[in-house]
Amino acid sequence: MNTGKNYLLFILLLLSFLLPSLLIAQEFGGNPNYLQWKQLNNATSRVIFPNGMDSQANRIQHINTLLSNTTAYNIGGRQRKWNIVLLNQTTIPNAYVRMAPLLSELYMTPGQNNFNTGSLRWDDNLVIHENRHIQQLSNFNNGLTRVFSFLLGQEGQLLANGITVPDYFFEGDAVFQETLLSAQGRGRMPSFYNGMKSLWLANKNYSWMKLRSGSLVDYTPNHYELGYQLVAYGYEQYGDNFWRKVTQDATAFKGLFYAFNKAIEKHSGKSYPQFRKEALQYFRERSLPGTVVDAPTPQYLSPVSSNNVIDYTSPFYVGDDTLLVLKQSYKEIPAFYFISHGKEKKIRVRDRAIDDYFSYRNGKLVYAGYQSDPRWGNSNFSVIQLLDIYTGKQRQLGARTKYFSPDINAAGTEVLAVNVNEDGTNYLHRINAMDGLLQTELPNRENYFYTQTRYLDSNNAIAAVRRPDGQMALVKVSLVTGTTETVTPFSYNVVGYPFVKGDTIYFSGMHANADKLFAVSMRTRKLFLLTNNVNGIYQPAVSNSGHLAYTSFTAEGSRLASISLQQARWQEITGNDFSSTPGDYTVAALQKTGAGFLDSLVPVTQPVSPYKKSFRLFNFHSWRPEANDPEYSYRLYSDNILSTFSNSLTYTYNRSDRSSTLGFYEAFGGWLPVLSIGGEYSFNRNIDTAVGKGIQFNSAKLNTAITLPLQFVGRRTNKFLTLSAGYNLEQLLYRGIGKNVFNNRSLKYTSWLVQFSNISQQAKQHINPRWAQSISLSYRDGFSLVNTNKLVMNSAWYFPGLSANHSLVINASFQQRDTLFNLFSNNFSYSRGYEALSTRRMHKLGVNYHFPLWYPDLGIGNIIFLQRVRANTFYDHTVARARVNGILTNINNRSTGAEIYFDTRVWNALPVSFGFRVSHLLDRNLLNPGVKNYFEFILPIGLIPD
């Protein structure tokens, strides 16, 4: 029994080091400083939003308030007041809820791929999902979790919840709320089951830990899909309060180790493995029909690779036997390719993009690339890129735009794209293909949200649109007047990826238990079902010779497949059949309180007031103990809601000299440069004189800095530039006998820093980027003393290795400092294995070769899952110039050795890499002469609280 408790204590201690990994990063100083903010404030939430978003903010506030009385009961009944910030400067469709501080950020620009999250209006989708996280965290602070909260504040609850409640429950339960409250939700979408269905169809029986933790060599569904199936099954089989009882027991640490699993066993009456097995089998039986043979049987055009997952998407015929595709894999970054007779030819690496959608016609390819604002992290853009597929040359149309799903006309003179405005409205834009200038903005009288759009002819287009109520259809759009004409019936069935061939539109759409291919004749308006597949297929393309290509979701990735148009079913279907929504898999659970909540929502208007950026600048939310013997400290953390002001207070006790230190740190990121100031005052410090009496003194430090963090994210590489200048002051105040010996004096110095990095895109299996450069240059000058300065340069240069996942890294460093005592801390990258010297001049060259050894996909006790073992062999050569016996001498410190790293998932969720290093010293270690071989453990920086 004691062994088990000690084991649990070890795990809790390990996870306490993982606390920084549990925190969701908020972009510090990420919002443009010119934004003016407003707020809606009531007892359940404060919605903070930029000017122009009053209507969406009102709806979000209203839904959030009503849900506290609608669905909170089945997770515990409480709902704390939360801050909800609406961000409209970003193009990334996302949102999150965090605990420290209590905050949710909703990224208000919708995504274009309706098969990802559905066709519900975006603000509704965000708030009903994130509200569930608010309800969860409002009710998960009980029992032993309260002790964590007392010791660590809001971060303490987050840590305890991370230990006791798996991430699959958090997200699966939120997706269930989406599905319960709306007429759609991901739980009703066949695309949401593609992942598990692909494994079942391929008879891939992965272990539970592999499904939970993921793999670097095999496809596994994410925790949203896996979690929904377990959560929905629990509600369906064991009632509306099942998960409330489970989570209340788990967050109280009842049963201690594996508290969540034991709570499921207690309240279901079944073992946890049996519960999982039955839940997944329940959905397998309902999402897969009795027969599992695709009709018609396709011919696959893309290969399957071992230890790799390859996605081929968006095929276009550029000849009867040649396809243009976007290809990416666990070993390769996204790039455009020609595929002909099984052979592939790369055209060009694609710029960074939010989604994989692109369009092609007559030798020209267009897509929307992602680009960031240089300073404001929450401001980014979607800019059209036009690529000549035969020359590989690419040019950009416009700048700082928010264009999505572009298509180019047959003449190559115009691009049609969806433009999304900051207030949520969107329009189709006709853009000059030569200079990127806007030619025409088409009216949007029906208030549709336009998604994937194609030219039908020179005067008309076909578009997949969704109405404010969430229903979708294909519509014909006049490129002259903007008037629309319905082509397919409106329904909650998602449609998308239209492809025009002659007078026929081919597209993907929901039908029964899978996303299938359809065709509609623009002449007769007859609608046809082309395939009867059992898992999702998308992105149809038709050749002149009558072949239909598409992408098929499989366990090996999205594969290219083809059938002849004559093979297709061409089953005429009625509008009613097309509009029938796939049935609910958990009928009883989805009829509980709150079912269809959005259908009965009555809009309200609430009073809006200004939100002052200075509101609650000091907002202490968490506190952490830190130990770095002989110093022990406690730190309090504060962050304001808009993340422009961060500060901390610290008390530190040094057991060696029994001194105490009070410190503070503050940073303000609301302006173009980031301003920071920090200081500390130490009491009763002591210097041992070795003659029986020590010298006592107090000290005061003040550090100020101005920093300009710049980022140029986009294109084929990301570039980061940081410029920083600081002023530092330390005052020594002697006490007792020291006052009679020393004069109180101050040390003043400036610090300057320049950091630059240029990083290429990185595939999932890449250990390092294949191409990257990183340079850091720092200079410190103690101008209150003579010749007290230090210049240090560190750099790293990344190159491809001999194989796709190998990496060659060359390090170069240089240091030059004054000839007096070493006043400043050491940040020179010294040869591994040696006690680092710091001499007047040093330079170093290091060579590293990284490569994978093994992808085991093995787990231990649902605690740690080993995804990869990798190695690095290295050689370091440092030359330190110093005076030895009065003679300037070059001291050579060379070492060689190897590092072994283990890439793991702790608790099936948190990525942690650790390892060990063996260094063999080729020269004498001056500071430790007896050492020839040196062994050390390597822990990632993220394991240690900052």
Side-chain angles (χ1 to χ4, degrees):
M1 186 69 178
N2 289 336
T3 301
K5 288 185 177 180
N6 291 337
Y7 186 51
L8 173 61
L9 182 61
F10 168 76
I11 296 301
L12 297 182
L13 180 62
L14 173 63
L15 287 176
S16 71
F17 287 125
L18 296 173
L19 183 58
S21 300
L22 289 166
L23 300 177
I24 300 173
Q26 185 181 14
E27 187 77 40
F28 180 69
N31 297 309
N33 58 2
Y34 55 78
L35 289 181
Q36 298 299 313
W37 298 86
K38 296 181 179 180
Q39 65 175 337
L40 291 165
N41 189 19
N42 65 17
T44 59
S45 61
R46 176 184 288 106
V47 178
I48 304 163
F49 57 95
N51 280 335
M53 301 195 70
D54 299 51
S55 174
Q56 289 173 283
N58 262 282
R59 187 175 178 90
I60 286 169
Q61 176 84 314
H62 184 46
I63 292 175
N64 194 69
T65 301
L66 292 179
L67 288 181
S68 65
N69 299 318
T70 305
T71 57
Y73 76 96
N74 65 8
I75 201 67
R78 297 187 297 273
Q79 181 156 331
R80 298 178 66 175
K81 183 171 182 176
W82 226 265
N83 299 288
I84 302 174
V85 182
L86 311 186
L87 303 179
N88 67 349
Q89 304 293 306
T90 178
T91 58
I92 300 172
N94 202 0
Y96 69 87
V97 169
R98 62 176 291 173
M99 273 294 300
L102 301 180
L103 170 72
S104 176
E105 288 190 335
L106 310 184
Y107 295 25
M108 299 301 292
T109 301
Q112 287 282 299
N113 187 350
N114 302 291
F115 292 99
N116 279 349
T117 54
S119 59
L120 296 177
R121 57 180 288 172
W122 182 240
D123 49 358
D124 285 1
N125 213 348
L126 289 180
V127 69
I128 60 179
H129 182 98
E130 302 305 326
N131 169 270
R132 189 56 168 184
H133 292 321
I134 292 172
Q135 293 176 354
Q136 292 162 348
L137 295 173
S138 297
N139 289 280
F140 288 177
N141 190 28
N142 63 94
L144 188 57
T145 297
R146 289 185 176 273
V147 177
F148 282 76
S149 298
F150 175 78
L151 294 174
L152 301 171
Q154 292 173 9
E155 286 183 357
Q157 181 190 334
L158 183 65
L159 173 61
N161 291 167
I163 295 171
T164 55
V165 181
D167 60 349
Y168 76 74
F169 175 81
F170 279 101
E171 297 301 346
D173 188 43
V175 173
F176 181 84
Q177 175 146 298
E178 291 175 27
T179 312
L180 172 70
L181 298 177
S182 71
Q184 192 184 74
R186 279 177 277 185
R188 292 189 179 93
M189 295 174 58
S191 59
F192 192 58
Y193 301 91
N194 281 342
M196 288 302 300
K197 286 166 67 176
S198 71
L199 299 187
W200 293 329
L201 290 167
N203 294 316
K204 292 183 179 293
N205 300 310
Y206 296 145
S207 69
W208 172 248
M209 286 197 70
K210 182 167 180 173
L211 289 176
R212 285 282 292 113
S213 301
S215 170
L216 294 176
V217 291
D218 294 312
Y219 169 78
T220 54
N222 63 35
H223 55 291
Y224 288 76
E225 182 178 340
L226 192 66
Y228 177 80
Q229 296 187 26
L230 269 63
V231 169
Y233 177 78
Y235 282 128
E236 179 77 6
Q237 297 297 315
Y238 302 105
D240 214 17
N241 292 317
F242 174 70
W243 291 112
R244 176 184 60 80
K245 293 183 287 187
V246 168
T247 54
Q248 291 298 298
D249 284 359
T251 53
F253 283 84
K254 291 185 178 179
L256 289 179
F257 205 40
Y258 301 119
F260 189 83
N261 302 356
K262 291 181 178 179
I264 287 178
E265 294 175 347
K266 172 183 175 182
H267 296 291
S268 71
K270 297 179 179 178
S271 69
Y272 180 59
Q274 185 66 22
F275 175 85
R276 297 190 321 246
K277 181 180 178 180
E278 292 183 1
L280 296 181
Q281 182 63 28
Y282 176 93
F283 277 93
R284 177 173 183 165
E285 292 172 355
R286 285 155 179 79
S287 62
L288 284 176
T291 176
V292 293
V293 178
D294 283 358
T297 303
Q299 174 189 0
Y300 284 108
L301 307 177
S302 59
V304 172
S305 176
S306 61
N307 295 326
N308 192 16
V309 177
I310 309 176
D311 291 324
Y312 295 85
T313 55
S314 300
F316 283 89
Y317 280 100
V318 296
D320 287 340
D321 299 316
T322 302
L323 283 168
L324 168 68
V325 300
L326 177 70
K327 176 189 175 184
Q328 57 189 313
S329 74
Y330 286 8
K331 293 182 179 181
E332 296 177 276
I333 61 177
F336 299 108
Y337 282 81
F338 290 126
I339 296 182
S340 181
H341 301 291
K343 296 182 178 180
E344 300 180 358
K345 179 182 177 182
K346 182 186 287 189
I347 302 169
R348 185 187 189 273
V349 169
R350 189 200 63 186
D351 288 5
R352 294 179 184 268
I354 296 172
D355 59 40
D356 295 335
Y357 189 90
F358 74 90
S359 186
Y360 164 80
R361 190 175 277 110
N362 293 338
K364 299 294 190 295
L365 179 157
V366 288
Y367 67 98
Y370 172 85
Q371 296 179 10
S372 71
D373 182 275
R375 170 60 181 90
W376 311 111
N378 287 333
S379 180
N380 43 69
F381 312 98
S382 185
V383 185
I384 295 174
Q385 309 294 329
L386 191 152
L387 172 65
D388 187 312
I389 65 170
Y390 297 113
T391 66
K393 293 183 179 179
Q394 178 176 295
R395 55 189 177 88
Q396 179 171 299
L397 302 183
R400 302 178 72 87
T401 56
K402 293 190 177 182
Y403 283 137
F404 303 90
S405 299
D407 190 29
I408 189 166
N409 67 357
T413 58
E414 183 183 276
V415 171
L416 183 67
V418 179
N419 178 68
V420 181
N421 296 317
E422 293 176 357
D423 62 359
T425 59
N426 81 110
Y427 299 90
L428 290 181
H429 279 191
R430 300 176 66 180
I431 304 156
N432 189 302
M434 297 303 297
D435 54 22
L437 295 179
L438 174 63
Q439 296 180 161
T440 307
E441 179 179 89
L442 300 178
N444 185 1
R445 300 178 183 90
E446 293 84 2
N447 194 25
Y448 292 148
F449 186 84
Y450 284 96
T451 61
Q452 297 149 352
T453 305
R454 304 279 193 198
Y455 280 97
L456 190 57
D457 52 47
S458 59
N459 293 317
N460 298 281
I462 196 80
V465 302
R466 58 186 190 230
R467 298 189 309 207
D469 64 359
Q471 295 194 47
M472 288 200 72
L474 290 182
V475 300
K476 178 183 176 182
V477 186
S478 170
L479 298 179
V480 178
T481 65
T483 57
T484 60
E485 178 184 343
T486 303
V487 175
T488 65
F490 274 97
S491 73
Y492 287 106
N493 286 347
V494 171
V495 295
Y497 301 113
F499 180 87
V500 179
K501 191 67 174 178
D503 67 349
T504 303
I505 312 300
Y506 301 85
F507 63 97
S508 297
M510 287 168 50
H511 186 264
N513 292 333
D515 296 324
K516 303 175 182 178
L517 297 187
F518 294 84
V520 59
S521 168
M522 295 301 293
R523 181 174 54 85
T524 65
R525 296 304 171 96
K526 290 184 177 180
L527 189 60
F528 300 93
L529 176 65
L530 301 182
T531 60
N532 192 31
N533 47 286
V534 295
N535 210 12
I537 60 176
Y538 307 94
Q539 302 162 342
V542 177
S543 72
N544 291 330
S545 59
H547 284 89
L548 172 64
Y550 54 86
T551 59
S552 177
F553 197 109
T554 76
E556 291 79 24
S558 292
R559 297 187 66 189
L560 290 177
S562 174
I563 59 174
S564 72
L565 286 178
Q566 293 179 342
Q567 284 180 282
R569 294 169 63 89
W570 291 101
Q571 175 187 344
E572 186 175 349
I573 59 175
T574 65
N576 288 336
D577 184 39
F578 177 78
S579 302
S580 62
T581 303
D584 298 331
Y585 296 145
T586 51
V587 177
L590 292 174
Q591 292 178 348
K592 301 294 184 180
T593 303
F597 167 86
L598 290 180
D599 293 338
S600 58
L601 191 67
V602 178
V604 299
T605 301
Q606 304 164 80
V608 174
S609 61
Y611 181 82
K612 296 181 179 179
K613 296 180 181 180
S614 60
F615 175 75
R616 203 173 291 172
L617 286 178
F618 293 93
N619 180 33
F620 289 97
H621 52 77
S622 304
W623 35 91
R624 293 188 213 165
E626 299 176 11
N628 187 18
D629 191 67
E631 292 190 334
Y632 300 86
S633 60
Y634 218 87
R635 188 183 300 268
L636 282 71
Y637 294 90
S638 168
D639 296 277
N640 70 328
I641 303 306
L642 291 180
S643 195
T644 57
F645 189 63
S646 179
N647 54 87
S648 63
L649 300 176
T650 310
Y651 169 77
T652 302
Y653 176 75
N654 187 304
R655 69 173 183 84
S656 293
D657 61 12
R658 298 181 181 179
S659 65
S660 296
T661 300
L662 295 175
F664 74 94
Y665 171 81
E666 296 177 350
F668 178 70
W671 295 338
L672 189 65
V674 175
L675 308 179
S676 58
I677 184 170
E680 60 183 43
Y681 193 92
S682 298
F683 303 88
N684 302 323
R685 295 181 64 183
N686 182 75
I687 299 177
D688 188 356
T689 62
V691 292
K693 288 187 177 182
I695 297 176
Q696 291 81 36
F697 65 98
N698 297 340
S699 67
K701 293 181 180 179
L702 180 67
N703 311 103
T704 62
I706 179 171
T707 303
L708 183 60
L710 300 175
Q711 57 180 353
F712 304 89
V713 177
R715 305 289 183 153
R716 285 183 283 187
T717 63
N718 290 342
K719 300 174 179 62
F720 302 90
L721 175 64
T722 300
L723 307 174
S724 180
Y727 173 81
N728 308 273
L729 169 67
E730 182 171 4
Q731 179 75 49
L732 303 182
L733 304 169
Y734 292 98
R735 302 169 56 241
I737 191 173
K739 294 176 62 177
N740 302 323
V741 179
F742 301 101
N743 294 323
N744 291 338
R745 65 177 305 171
S746 62
L747 171 64
K748 305 171 186 177
Y749 68 94
T750 58
S751 57
W752 307 84
L753 176 67
V754 177
Q755 292 178 322
F756 174 78
S757 59
N758 180 41
I759 305 170
S760 67
Q761 301 177 61
Q762 191 170 346
K764 190 169 186 176
Q765 289 184 10
H766 290 174
I767 297 172
N768 294 308
R770 290 174 65 79
W771 300 97
Q773 306 83 42
S774 176
I775 301 174
S776 173
L777 184 66
S778 68
Y779 178 74
R780 288 166 288 179
D781 188 355
F783 56 84
S784 62
L785 299 175
V786 178
N787 290 332
T788 54
N789 58 75
K790 180 183 284 189
L791 172 69
V792 178
M793 184 275 290
N794 289 308
S795 66
W797 308 81
Y798 295 78
F799 303 95
L802 298 176
S803 184
N805 296 325
H806 291 207
S807 176
L808 173 66
V809 184
I810 297 176
N811 304 113
S813 299
F814 174 80
Q815 172 178 299
Q816 182 169 311
R817 70 170 182 84
D818 57 85
T819 58
L820 299 179
F821 57 90
N822 189 20
L823 175 65
F824 302 109
S825 61
N826 294 330
N827 56 357
F828 178 88
S829 177
Y830 208 80
S831 292
R832 280 161 280 195
Y834 289 89
E835 298 289 334
L837 302 175
S838 181
T839 66
R840 60 191 297 171
R841 179 173 295 179
M842 301 191 301
H843 61 266
K844 174 211 169 180
L845 182 68
V847 180
N848 304 264
Y849 193 83
H850 298 262
F851 55 96
L853 294 174
W854 186 30
Y855 296 94
D857 280 352
L858 296 174
I860 302 173
N862 281 317
I863 299 172
I864 188 167
F865 185 79
L866 180 59
Q867 292 181 318
R868 176 172 61 189
V869 182
R870 54 187 170 90
N872 174 41
T873 58
F874 66 86
Y875 171 79
D876 290 340
H877 188 167
T878 299
V879 178
R881 189 165 179 80
R883 288 190 178 274
V884 178
N885 298 323
I887 301 174
L888 279 176
T889 304
N890 287 335
I891 303 169
N892 288 290
N893 280 167
R894 298 168 299 157
S895 64
T896 187
E899 300 165 339
I900 302 295
Y901 291 92
F902 303 89
D903 296 328
T904 71
R905 291 274 176 169
V906 173
W907 227 248
N908 298 313
L910 303 173
V912 177
S913 296
F914 61 90
F916 61 88
R917 175 189 299 136
V918 178
S919 303
H920 176 65
L921 280 58
L922 301 177
D923 299 295
R924 184 169 178 262
N925 187 350
L926 294 180
L927 301 181
N928 198 350
V931 173
K932 289 297 292 182
N933 297 292
Y934 190 75
F935 180 89
E936 55 191 315
F937 286 102
I938 306 170
L939 292 177
I941 297 298
L943 279 178
I944 304 171
D946 50 19

